Amino acid sequence: LDGEHLALLLWSFAKVERRKPKEILAIKQRLLFATASPSMGLNKSLPSDTRKFQQEQLKGDAGKALNTQRSQETPNSSHRVEAEEKQSECSQGPSPSAATSAPARLRASADSLPISLSMHDLCMATRAAATLTPRDVPFCERMLEAVRVRVEMEGEAILPQGWTSLWTVVAELKIRNPQIIEMLCEESRRLRLDHTFNQNMAVEIAVAVKKMGLKDPRVLFQLIHFVETRANRLRAEQLLEMAELFRDLGIDHDGAWKQMGVRAQKSAISLDLRGIHRLAAAFHGAGKGNQKVFGILQHFAMVKDDQRRYGPS
């Protein structure tokens, strides 16, 4: 299995909560081998000729090797070898040690082959491992260190989904490695807020930053810029999360709060009564909002209360 299949296996185990110790340990060992292999370690992918060699070794194409050997022999020697092999098989039978040692040799050779592990696979596997085995912090730290080395030494880029996963892992496992946190903060400045970065990712990063108690301006600027430019697309639930996180983080950027206030007037009706009160409390707690915002939120709350009392109209 290459790195992509290993990461997908670990991710699928996390989704279905399959916690088989032997399976998880085997996958982790292969991933650690991929990050520590001198021939692969810090490379993005394997060369095509190496991948072809790996596939041939794993398939164990004995027929091709046998044909090659026969083509190098003379006809007479070939017939003589075949006759000797048939006579040996008839007299002694197959060798049990040879039959049992062949699969073992194949597995050993496969385990020693380099593994192709892309940056996306590395991030996905780290997130899945943190979900499956949250107590195995050293493994996740090894994976995060591999990410840091590839980013700083090779200049590899990470997709927004990968960055979101890494922030979540560091926050949930309470990893306080200064080099890893510095790498996340610094590379967050280069985060592309395009179509690949959605509101769910923004909320997850904001939640992670809040859990860590981190107020690094490099990260907060990205969150502020996202809300200021794309708040008009936030769903009501995500708007509530971002408003409460901005209040708790002490972010008082007028432009971002203004956009959230405009969005609240259009989408807050989708919240339940408790959610509307929480959103109003977030604006009050941050000292933001105006009479129009609070008036519309109060009207939404009255509508939800009437629906609760008398049913929908």
Side-chain angles (χ1 to χ4, degrees), residues 78-94:
S78 176
H79 289 301
R80 184 174 63 255
V81 170
E82 290 179 357
E84 291 175 356
E85 289 178 353
K86 290 181 180 179
Q87 183 178 1
S88 176
E89 289 178 359
C90 294
S91 59
Q92 299 180 1

Side-chain angles (χ1 to χ4, degrees), residues 32-64:
L32 289 177
F33 171 76
T35 58
S37 173
S39 58
M40 164 57 197
L42 307 179
N43 292 334
K44 299 178 183 178
S45 59
L46 293 174
S48 58
D49 55 344
T50 307
R51 294 178 66 88
K52 183 178 179 181
F53 169 76
Q54 179 178 357
Q55 293 173 357
E56 290 179 357
Q57 291 291 324
L58 293 177
K59 288 179 181 178
D61 193 354
K64 181 178 179 181

Side-chain angles (χ1 to χ4, degrees), residues 48-308:
S48 58
D49 55 344
T50 307
R51 294 178 66 88
K52 183 178 179 181
F53 169 76
Q54 179 178 357
Q55 293 173 357
E56 290 179 357
Q57 291 291 324
L58 293 177
K59 288 179 181 178
D61 193 354
K64 181 178 179 181
L66 183 59
N67 292 335
T68 304
Q69 181 180 1
R70 287 179 175 176
S71 64
Q72 295 175 354
E73 295 175 346
T74 61
N76 295 331
S77 62
S78 176
H79 289 301
R80 184 174 63 255
V81 170
E82 290 179 357
E84 291 175 356
E85 289 178 353
K86 290 181 180 179
Q87 183 178 1
S88 176
E89 289 178 359
C90 294
S91 59
Q92 299 180 1
S95 174
S97 60
T100 56
S101 61
R105 288 198 303 270
L106 181 60
R107 286 194 298 269
S109 62
D111 290 340
S112 63
L113 290 173
I115 303 173
S116 172
L117 188 64
S118 68
M119 181 63 80
H120 178 72
D121 298 333
L122 183 57
C123 296
M124 183 170 61
T126 305
R127 180 69 180 92
T131 302
L132 279 173
T133 55
R135 295 184 180 179
D136 193 1
V137 179
F139 173 81
C140 293
E141 286 185 338
R142 287 276 300 274
M143 301 291 281
L144 289 169
E145 183 64 21
V147 173
R148 185 187 68 82
V149 172
R150 291 173 66 163
V151 168
E152 294 182 355
M153 293 188 177
E154 293 195 356
E156 286 196 48
I158 303 181
L159 297 176
Q161 182 181 1
W163 281 123
T164 306
S165 300
L166 297 181
W167 273 111
T168 304
V169 170
V170 172
E172 289 183 352
L173 301 186
K174 299 180 180 180
I175 296 176
R176 295 297 181 264
N177 187 318
Q179 293 180 330
I180 294 176
I181 295 176
E182 174 63 22
M183 179 267 297
L184 290 175
C185 293
E186 180 63 24
E187 293 300 319
S188 294
R189 296 171 58 244
R190 302 179 177 90
L191 190 62
R192 295 183 298 125
L193 301 180
D194 53 11
H195 65 280
T196 61
F197 188 81
N198 57 45
Q199 52 190 287
N200 295 327
M201 298 177 185
V203 172
E204 289 185 27
I205 293 178
V207 170
V209 171
K210 179 185 174 183
K211 285 183 179 179
M212 298 170 62
L214 185 66
K215 295 186 178 181
D216 193 287
R218 293 169 291 185
V219 185
L220 298 182
F221 172 81
Q222 293 285 40
L223 296 175
I224 293 171
H225 179 67
F226 175 82
V227 172
E228 189 176 14
T229 57
R230 299 173 65 174
N232 58 342
R233 303 179 184 178
L234 288 175
R235 298 188 298 272
E237 294 78 9
Q238 307 298 340
L239 174 65
L240 174 60
E241 292 285 344
M242 293 301 292
E244 290 182 335
L245 289 169
F246 271 44
R247 177 200 60 193
D248 297 338
L249 292 173
I251 300 176
D252 59 352
H253 191 274
D254 293 333
W257 279 103
K258 180 180 178 181
Q259 294 300 321
M260 285 194 289
V262 173
R263 185 59 179 170
Q265 300 175 47
K266 299 179 180 179
S267 64
I269 190 63
S270 302
L271 298 171
D272 57 11
L273 181 59
R274 184 172 178 271
I276 294 174
H277 287 314
R278 286 172 55 192
L279 184 58
F283 278 92
H284 275 295
K288 300 297 180 180
N290 50 41
Q291 294 299 323
K292 182 179 180 181
V293 173
F294 294 128
I296 292 179
L297 290 178
Q298 184 179 5
H299 173 68
F300 289 163
M302 293 173 61
V303 171
K304 292 295 182 178
D305 186 59
D306 288 343
Q307 291 179 353
R308 181 178 61 85

